């Protein structure tokens, strides 16, 4: 099992461009969570998705940010018209559809907006 | 909304001493409390967890305690070693039959001096 895979590991975007972050959950995991971590800070919950459904997006900024987890393929976190303040590490975690299961994190994508 | 407070933000101990990190949570429906360790530039990794039907759990040099009435839980590391130096995050979630949204504390940066 390859674990939770995120790509790219590092992403540089100019202000105003779009950033697309990908997360492939562990095999057999149907729940995906996205977190944002600013330098020297904690993990802020952004969104929780199941296949084709957004379960909880209470941590997502109202504008420019969107997430999806299609039936086929990875989960995508999309940031439109990036600004310097979007620079952070974005972590994805996944868990199986089973009570009492733990969540595993990917290596993260470090987004730098220049 | 849900909130997890974590203290202290920084902790420095001498090798061999014990380290204690304390957290409180606000959502009384929380029933699962994982602790993650994050080394610089790496993903958060689960080190121990506790569920609401248990008051204490131990794994070698690491122990966690939970007081549901007071909504407090703590991480105890005994006989600390330099390799224990990292950022530690407590978290709380409401695990149902499937996935769960996890809220993290702000983290404790632990320094173990040799």
């Amino acid at each position: 099992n390859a674990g939770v895979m995120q790509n790219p590991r590092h992403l540089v975007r100019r202000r105003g461009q779009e950033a697309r972050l990908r997360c492939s959950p562990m095999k057999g995991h149907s729940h995906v969570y996205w977190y944002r971590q600013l330098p020297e800070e904690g993990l802020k919950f952004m969104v929780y998705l199941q296949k084709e459904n957004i379960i909880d997006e209470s941590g997502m900024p109202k504008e420019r940010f969107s997430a999806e987890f299609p039936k086929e393929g990875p989960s995508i976190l999309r940031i439109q018209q990036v600004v310097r303040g979007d620079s952070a590490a974005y972590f994805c975690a996944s868990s199986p559809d089973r009570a009492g299961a733990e969540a595993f994190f990917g290596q993260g994508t470090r987004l730098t907006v220049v | 909304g849900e909130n997890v407070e974590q203290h202290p933000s920084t902790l420095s101990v001498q090798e061999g001493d014990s380290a204690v990190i304390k957290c409180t949570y606000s959502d009384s429906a929380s029933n699962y409390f994982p602790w993650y360790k994050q080394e610089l530039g790496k993903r958060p990794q689960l080190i121990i967890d506790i569920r609401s039907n248990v008051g204490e759990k131990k794994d070698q040099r690491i122990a966690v305690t939970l007081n549901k009435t007071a909504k407090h839980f703590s991480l105890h590391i005994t006989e600390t070693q330099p390799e224990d130096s990292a950022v530690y995050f407590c978290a709380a979630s409401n695990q149902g039959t499937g996935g769960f949204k996890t809220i993290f504390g702000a983290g404790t940066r632990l320094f173990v001096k040799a």
Side-chain angles (χ1 to χ4, degrees):
Chain A
N1 196 329
V4 181
M5 302 300 291
Q6 288 187 250
N7 67 82
R9 291 289 307 279
H10 301 275
L11 181 62
V12 179
R13 283 287 177 266
R14 294 187 185 280
R15 281 179 294 170
Q17 290 185 319
E18 178 180 287
R20 291 171 71 88
L21 288 62
R22 294 174 182 75
C23 170
S24 295
M26 286 180 70
K27 188 177 179 181
H29 287 193
S30 57
H31 302 271
V32 166
Y33 318 86
W34 285 94
Y35 289 84
R36 176 163 64 177
Q37 186 175 38
L38 294 169
E40 305 293 314
E41 292 192 13
L43 295 152
K44 299 292 187 190
F45 169 80
M46 298 181 74
V47 62
Y48 159 29
L49 311 102
Q50 260 190 298
K51 282 287 188 182
E52 300 184 272
N53 290 306
I54 295 175
I55 307 299
D56 186 328
E57 56 180 348
S58 56
M60 288 277 272
K62 294 286 186 286
E63 297 176 349
R64 303 188 296 107
F65 285 71
S66 62
E68 63 176 8
F69 188 16
K71 189 175 181 181
E72 301 290 337
S75 175
I76 307 285
L77 179 68
R78 183 179 174 207
I79 311 172
Q80 295 179 291
Q81 299 172 351
V82 296
V83 301
R84 288 244 171 89
D86 297 333
S87 296
Y90 292 83
F91 287 95
C92 162
S94 72
S95 67
D97 192 21
R98 186 182 77 242
E102 66 178 87
F104 291 87
F105 278 85
Q107 293 275 32
T109 293
R110 277 152 186 82
L111 172 66
T112 302
V113 179
V114 297
Chain B
E2 310 101 327
N3 189 43
V4 175
E5 299 278 343
Q6 182 171 349
H7 300 281
S9 57
T10 305
L11 180 59
S12 185
V13 299
Q14 205 66 37
E15 182 179 2
D17 287 349
S18 294
V20 179
I21 301 171
K22 298 183 178 182
C23 291
T24 59
Y25 61 97
S26 61
D27 185 359
S28 55
S30 296
N31 57 12
Y32 175 61
F33 306 90
W35 286 85
Y36 286 84
K37 176 183 180 182
Q38 187 179 30
E39 295 175 352
L40 188 63
K42 298 194 174 178
R43 77 181 85 190
Q45 293 200 293
L46 182 75
I47 55 170
I48 195 167
D49 55 17
I50 190 167
R51 299 181 194 282
S52 58
N53 57 348
V54 174
E56 186 173 350
K57 182 176 179 181
K58 191 172 181 181
D59 182 3
Q60 297 182 9
R61 296 186 298 108
I62 296 174
V64 290
T65 58
L66 171 65
N67 181 333
K68 279 214 77 177
T69 304
K71 295 184 191 170
H72 288 171
F73 57 117
S74 301
L75 175 73
H76 303 252
I77 306 174
T78 57
E79 299 170 30
T80 53
Q81 301 166 3
E83 51 265 39
D84 294 331
S85 296
V87 180
Y88 291 81
F89 293 99
C90 62
S93 65
N94 179 3
Q95 273 199 341
T97 55
F100 48 93
K101 168 184 170 183
T102 302
I103 302 299
F104 285 80
T108 296
R109 190 171 298 275
L110 174 65
F111 297 95
V112 180
K113 295 175 285 188

